[in-house]
Amino acid sequence: MFSLIGLPHPEQELLKSRLALRIYRLIKERGLKQAQAGKILGIKQPHVSALMRNRSGSFSLERLMEFLTALGQDVEIVVRPTRKQHGELSVVA
């Protein structure tokens, strides 16, 4: 999907998008206003607004994972051998 529009790191962008979607769902499930979510995440409301519109490009993968832990989620990174020539990135949520 992201490779079709010419982004330099499509796997990373897809991963960021999936993490942002999880953050969006958590905020919605809890009925948080953007200002409330901003306090929890440690960012200003306009940044929450961008995140809620899936504009996660300005946030690193690490920062998105920090947001998830701030929202009470465990984040686990698993590295294992692949049978392919190159490994891949994925999110299981």
Side-chain angles (χ1 to χ4, degrees):
M1 166 169 52
F2 288 101
S3 61
L4 296 176
I5 58 174
L7 291 175
H9 303 284
E11 301 88 9
Q12 184 175 346
E13 293 304 319
L14 180 58
L15 183 58
K16 288 170 68 172
S17 179
R18 289 184 177 172
L19 293 177
L21 177 60
R22 183 71 176 137
I23 293 164
Y24 170 87
R25 288 180 176 161
L26 288 166
I27 290 170
K28 286 295 189 184
E29 286 170 8
R30 295 177 187 186
L32 296 172
K33 304 271 187 219
Q34 289 184 6
Q36 295 170 313
K39 286 182 183 179
I40 293 169
L41 302 177
I43 58 176
K44 295 181 180 182
Q45 181 276 328
H47 296 281
V48 175
S49 178
L51 191 57
M52 298 297 282
R53 289 181 279 127
N54 201 17
R55 299 230 167 94
S56 58
S58 62
F59 298 108
S60 67
L61 284 170
E62 292 83 4
R63 191 72 172 122
L64 293 170
M65 289 187 277
E66 288 173 8
F67 293 161
L68 287 165
T69 60
L71 289 165
Q73 304 298 295
D74 288 332
V75 176
E76 181 177 334
I77 299 171
V78 177
V79 179
R80 62 179 170 258
T82 184
R83 293 185 178 157
K84 303 174 188 173
Q85 184 175 357
H86 296 284
E88 60 184 44
L89 297 171
S90 64
V91 172
V92 179

